Amino acid sequence: MTIARTAATAAGSGGLHPDVLAFSTSFHLDRALFKEDLLGSLAHLSMLTKVGLMPAADAKALHQGLVGLWSEDVDTLPQDEEDIHMAVEAELAKRVGEPAGRLHTARSRNDQVALDVHLHVREQCANILDALASFIDELATRAEAERETFFPSYTHRQRAIPISAAYWLAAYGMMFARDAELFTFALNQVDQLPLGVGAIAGSSLPIDREHVRARLGFSRITQNGLDTVGNRDFAMDYTYAVTRLMLHGSRLAADVIDFATAEFGFLTLDGSIACGSSMMPQKKNPDVFELIRGKSTRALGNHVSMLTMVKGLPGGYLRDLQEDRAPLLETGPLARSVLAMLRLSLPKVTFDVEACREALLGDYTQATDLAEALVKKGLAFRKAYQAVGALVTFAKNQGLPLAQVTLEQAQQVNAAFDAKVLECLDPLTSVARKVSAGSTGPQAVAVQIAALREAARTARATAASVPRLATLFQALKETP
Ligand code: ARG
């Protein structure tokens, strides 16, 4: 715990107070960035060697030391350093001696931590995007299977117009497809090498940032060091993308939770994903979906932490930025666990086709179709709308669902109703009548499913194009 201290730092102080170290250390958190830190050092070493700033013998020793550490547990590092960067350097000093003192040439922890966090966010975005692609595909497949399952849609949580379950599933698919685009944006933001800008202003040594960039698989280098060491925008883009993904999962969960109640009765949960009550023997609870909804709180909290961490900061690196660690490190596992649960549990949620039919047959959700049928006859929409409103009132007064109104009764209410118009009284054919783009109609839903397939393909290809840490290591391991 003496590496980042000089006579100037420590004059007369007798060393860093242990309580200050305990308060300021980030090691307990950024030990999760061990692999990222080693990769950065391997690429930096490769560059220093290439430009002649590292003697060959030292390069060899350091390379061996770093490669050796890759397969070891982070617990082998000294545990009393300020952060992962110092811990690795201290361990290297133990293992290879003097050469360890050359590795930090033209490097600062400011650009080093920026690199570690870039590598972490890039890897997480790729992993999440890949899982998201699979989930979007699964939603498309399920939608295909549910084209003939009809139930009422809701506006203001009141029954609205019949839709197919395929349309409902595709709606969530669209949300997740937009999230995939957001992760792709975040991947683009994070795709620049921060290492090599030093503490803030670069270096007077002839370093080659392009070499490091290529070895770490970034497509460009950052342009301004002062900006680079204080930049966490890419991390905020990532926590936002995760937050939005989780909010979409939360809304899907809210629908499932409602639809699985006795009051709605549209969905049944398989026993393998339902939780019981410790007291009420009859209970079959949707805890998984409640937690999917509940965990979005944490993602949102983490995102807000990132934003408020930066708010009020001047330019350049400040230690405040270390507070990115806890929210960032929690974000990836949170997103992946929720995606995994959505993928596991949604196939175990089945539609109660009979209950869905009943909900349509016993209600008035085909009223809009009836008004549109009158429009087809030439009535002004507002007149048609009033006529159907009167018919609904009549039926309700008779205690009849709309589907059971007869031609005679309808004509008593308004002479404009005829046999052709009353074909629309069947709520089970309502979905098939929808012909507009973006509607619940069969052709429009086929277009939506195709769009989801395309979104999944694109997301999967983007994820596959991201250089992964393990692959980068294989190349860095070979050549010092
Ligand atoms: N532990 C620090 C962080 O996580 C590393 C950078 C520290 N830089 C410094 N000049 N103290 O942000």
Side-chain angles (χ1 to χ4, degrees), residues 209-254:
R209 294 186 65 203
E210 280 297 328
H211 179 85
V212 182
R213 177 197 65 72
R215 301 228 64 182
L216 292 175
F218 288 99
S219 57
R220 57 202 195 279
I221 63 173
T222 60
Q223 304 270 334
N224 176 301
L226 193 154
D227 168 45
T228 301
V229 292
N231 177 26
R232 293 295 181 274
D233 291 355
F234 64 93
M236 292 184 250
D237 294 331
Y238 163 59
T239 54
Y240 174 55
V242 168
T243 301
R244 223 180 64 180
L245 162 67
M246 302 276 283
L247 291 178
H248 291 149
S250 163
R251 296 187 75 174
L252 172 54

Side-chain angles (χ1 to χ4, degrees), residues 22-53:
F23 175 72
S24 60
T25 184
S26 59
F27 183 67
H28 59 293
L29 291 172
D30 52 31
R31 44 187 282 136
L33 301 175
F34 184 34
K35 292 259 191 306
E36 286 82 346
D37 205 72
L38 290 174
L39 278 184
S41 285
L42 279 165
H44 188 65
L45 172 65
S46 163
M47 182 278 289
L48 292 176
T49 310
K50 181 198 162 223
V51 302
L53 287 168

